Amino acid sequence: MAFRLSMIMFVVSLMSPTGWTQETQPVQAAAPADDWKPSTINQKGKQYPQVNSERRARFRVMAPEAQSVSVSLGKLALTKGEDGAWTGITAPLDEGFHYYSLKIDGAEVPDPNSLYFFGAMRWGSGIEVPAADQDFYAVKNVPHGQLRQVLFFSKTTESHHRAFVYTPPGYEQDTEKRYPVLYLQHGWGEDENGWGAQGHANLIMDNLIADGKTRPFIMVMTYGMTNDVPLGGGPRGAGGRPAFNFDKFKGVLLDDLVPYVDSTYRTLADQPHRAMAGLSMGGMQTRTIAPANLDKFSHIGLFSGGSISADSIENMEKFKEKIKLVFVSYGSKELGGNRGGPGGRGGPGGDPREATEGLKTAGVNAHFYVSQETAHEWQSWRRSLHQMAPLLFND
Amino acid sequence: MAFRLSMIMFVVSLMSPTGWTQETQPVQAAAPADDWKPSTINQKGKQYPQVNSERRARFRVMAPEAQSVSVSLGKLALTKGEDGAWTGITAPLDEGFHYYSLKIDGAEVPDPNSLYFFGAMRWGSGIEVPAADQDFYAVKNVPHGQLRQVLFFSKTTESHHRAFVYTPPGYEQDTEKRYPVLYLQHGWGEDENGWGAQGHANLIMDNLIADGKTRPFIMVMTYGMTNDVPLGGGPRGAGGRPAFNFDKFKGVLLDDLVPYVDSTYRTLADQPHRAMAGLSMGGMQTRTIAPANLDKFSHIGLFSGGSISADSIENMEKFKEKIKLVFVSYGSKELGGNRGGPGGRGGPGGDPREATEGLKTAGVNAHFYVSQETAHEWQSWRRSLHQMAPLLFND
């Protein structure tokens, strides 16, 4: 049982949090700071949910005939007012983006006030807690790249798949120039929308490029749940973990998507100019696929998705010749102790800091980054992309 | 009062229907056909809502502790089952796409089972009733264009605006070729997502181009509620109608967006290769802006958004010299009688069929199209684009 429970806990830790399982402290007796502002990802004109300078969230939901209304963030029970509106205030939240949902008399539904985002295998609500470093993904008056929705046919699955392709500013102007490509994957229960929506990958790149901090490159984001990996299901691998089988996704990526991208866009279509990175399950896909295809990828990024130990590399000389970067990152709240999360000692690749130090010792250009005061959530991954991008394609 | 009511009814007729005001017949005694299939725009893996061959919709919503659950389509009250699920079946619906929402104990929320679409000034649920002619917007194994999300800075509003730009298949391959551009607007309460989501404008073009039925062109879709036109508010124009003031939108379109598009994409950047069309309020914007800027546009499309009478054209010779197409369309259920809708005799431009006949008599290349058995809804507008596209940029 402990064996099975540990496995389930591990998989749960890879899921995009819906909020229902998060622990937060109840509101203290002292009155919260009265400087509420609407969340920046509310629907147009909606005043709620709001966030204050203590990073608390305040909800207001009209449900005049309901018996109970709660919010998944901290399992917050709302209180009914005389006007039929249900309100409540959370404990302080981490900076950045959080998924959430409402429960109205037993029905789990999105908040009609928020914009919607895909996570936990469903479209649901999101709230944005302003971060001290939010400037790096702000919309600024700088040249903007384009986020393109494309359909490509996959021979692997005999169906159409959707991808989003970010082309950097200037791509349209100099039609001779060719660019490196980063394949960038989402996490379990998410989809190809994530990096361009709540991830702000396009804005992160626009701003880095405007500041001259990164070489312009193309980013490609597609759906990674191609095997419909069941939660806690499927065959077991070493350590009792579900052996995520990424074979079909690998086919879509290597046999269908990469050729589509290289024949459609002005790419530098070779191994030195092709990177792969991903968050959570997308990191696990990256560490499975990229090192096993050294003829295809030269840069590897694992965001809250395991690490690579020097011991696991069969031919270190070839690995060092081919792989120019291994970037490993975690949120500080995921790390350390024996929490059983992917960043803990039980994560794939072992303790990620130690594993990455081991790579450095072996002579690999490896980087370990910790996003301070964030957990297994998008603020960690926005920061990870922001940290990694300047390290790509520099040689 | 009648004056004011007529004005409000007219504006309401321009709104994207939420379903709450639609009249449908209650379910008859005879059992509905038992060939239910999940709506094609459900969230992944969701079995409900379903549609049968009689074009009825069947809903199922888990709300174990709720007192009442209803669906906006036909104001359908659902019935609670022993498993806590609320179910119900609508009367036959029109073919195509419909917005809807749920009301759970007084809270108006999206259905957690459906994908979400922007209409009636909020993100809400959608359901798709299969249409006999749905092949023209199906995803087929043909070359696909790209739907690009771009950000452009507007000097008119001193802020960033978003647009979606469709580039046709082949745009990336032959980097010398230049293309005409259609500016294509959504309706009241909708936004720049509409045409590329529920409108399937990209798939309509992909399929037409694959069949050799239309000249490939670029489509540009941006947010048209720039003036935040209040419902029934603002100054009154002739006939008591609210005088929609499109000045700010006109600035965004002509002073900011057109120059952005012409400097970013390989357009044929001249009047003969620039068209404007729109649905409902977008049609009204088109009939306001395009004829007043004959140096900028050569093709005009009005979908359920009024018409242009020959009498209103000050200089018919110049109009005929400059305007190569006036395309006017309506759903058959909007037309005729004295319903007071924009297609009725009270609509801007007069009776649209008569007005368009009048243009023909005056020598204008005018077309009038009626979408059979549809109303003020997306199936009418998908068909309108499909009918109009082959008529564009042929001279």
Side-chain angles (χ1 to χ4, degrees), chain A residues 9 16 63 97 109 119 143 150 186 200 204 219 264 273 275 315 335 341-342:
Chain A
M9 288 298 290
S16 43
F97 174 88
V109 293
V150 299
H186 59 81
H200 296 320
I204 291 169
M219 295 188 292
T264 305
H273 299 96
N315 186 336
L335 276 175

Side-chain angles (χ1 to χ4, degrees), chain A residues 105 123 147-149 172, chain B residues 43 105 147-149 172:
Chain A
D105 286 351
W123 287 90
L147 192 61
R148 310 177 179 196
Q149 175 189 309
E172 304 288 334
Chain B
Q43 292 193 33
D105 286 352
L147 193 62
R148 311 178 179 195
Q149 176 188 307
E172 304 289 333

Side-chain angles (χ1 to χ4, degrees), chain B residues 253-254 271 274-276 290 293-299 323:
Chain B
L253 178 69
L254 299 185
Q271 186 268 358
R274 196 179 295 122
M276 182 174 181
N293 292 274
L294 294 178
D295 58 325
K296 297 221 163 49
F297 299 98
S298 51
H299 298 70
I323 298 297

Side-chain angles (χ1 to χ4, degrees), chain A residues 129-147:
Chain A
V129 178
D133 59 348
Q134 64 189 358
D135 191 62
F136 78 82
Y137 49 88
V139 177
K140 298 183 192 176
N141 199 358
V142 299
H144 293 286
Q146 301 180 10
L147 192 61

Side-chain angles (χ1 to χ4, degrees), chain A residues 87-102:
Chain A
T87 55
I89 296 174
T90 68
L93 303 167
D94 290 348
E95 292 184 339
F97 174 88
H98 304 277
Y99 294 108
Y100 75 98
S101 60
L102 301 180

Side-chain angles (χ1 to χ4, degrees), chain B residues 56-341:
Chain B
R56 296 180 193 275
R58 179 162 79 172
F59 295 87
R60 185 173 186 276
V61 179
M62 282 303 296
E65 295 142 37
Q67 307 302 304
S68 79
V69 178
S70 59
V71 176
S72 61
L73 282 168
K75 297 187 192 177
L76 176 71
L78 303 186
T79 308
K80 189 177 182 180
E82 289 182 6
D83 56 355
W86 295 71
T87 56
I89 295 174
T90 68
L93 304 167
D94 289 348
E95 292 184 339
F97 173 88
H98 304 277
Y99 295 108
Y100 74 97
S101 61
L102 301 180
K103 203 168 271 184
I104 301 177
D105 286 352
E108 190 161 350
V109 293
D111 184 344
N113 295 316
S114 82
L115 294 177
Y116 303 132
F117 303 87
F118 194 78
M121 291 302 285
R122 56 109 178 88
W123 286 90
S125 289
I127 186 170
E128 183 75 33
V129 177
D133 58 347
Q134 64 189 356
D135 192 62
F136 79 82
Y137 49 88
V139 177
K140 299 182 192 177
N141 199 359
V142 298
H144 292 287
Q146 301 179 11
L147 193 62
R148 311 178 179 195
Q149 176 188 307
V150 299
L151 296 170
F152 65 99
F153 188 77
S154 163
K155 283 179 244 165
T156 305
T157 65
E158 286 287 327
S159 65
H160 279 87
H161 289 238
R162 186 169 70 165
F164 289 97
V165 177
Y166 169 86
T167 53
Y171 184 91
E172 304 289 333
Q173 279 70 52
D174 179 354
T175 56
E176 296 300 314
K177 190 172 175 182
R178 294 184 165 270
Y179 297 83
V181 184
L182 166 63
Y183 291 83
L184 185 60
Q185 287 304 122
H186 59 80
W188 189 95
E190 299 177 328
D191 72 6
E192 67 274 22
N193 288 282
W195 271 111
Q198 60 267 41
H200 296 320
N202 50 337
L203 299 174
I204 292 169
M205 284 299 294
D206 290 346
N207 292 337
L208 282 172
I209 293 168
D211 289 344
K213 289 184 181 165
T214 189
R215 176 174 174 177
F217 54 82
I218 292 168
M219 294 188 292
V220 179
M221 298 149 275
T222 198
Y223 186 60
M225 304 276 290
T226 308
N227 295 310
D228 291 324
V229 184
L231 175 60
R236 305 287 122 72
R241 288 178 213 118
F244 280 116
N245 183 327
F246 300 133
D247 285 351
K248 205 181 278 182
F249 172 70
K250 188 178 75 176
V252 173
L253 178 69
L254 299 185
D255 301 335
D256 305 321
L257 181 58
V258 169
Y260 168 82
V261 168
D262 282 337
S263 66
T264 305
Y265 295 94
R266 299 195 315 277
T267 63
L268 290 161
D270 53 16
Q271 186 268 358
H273 299 97
R274 196 179 295 122
M276 182 174 181
L279 70 90
S280 195
M281 187 191 76
M284 294 179 62
Q285 293 175 322
T286 301
R287 67 189 291 285
T288 301
I289 295 171
N293 292 274
L294 294 178
D295 58 325
K296 297 221 163 49
F297 299 98
S298 51
H299 298 70
I300 293 174
L302 313 176
F303 309 161
S304 305
S307 54
I308 296 174
S309 69
D311 292 348
S312 70
I313 298 171
E314 282 184 33
N315 185 337
M316 181 57 84
E317 285 315 303
K318 188 175 179 200
F319 187 89
K320 285 196 286 188
E321 178 201 331
K322 290 293 190 177
I323 298 297
K324 300 306 179 188
L325 174 75
V326 176
F327 179 93
V328 176
S329 69
Y330 275 94
S332 67
K333 294 185 174 184
E334 299 179 275
L335 276 177
N338 285 301
R339 297 193 185 187

Side-chain angles (χ1 to χ4, degrees), chain A residues 10 212 355:
Chain A
F10 169 70

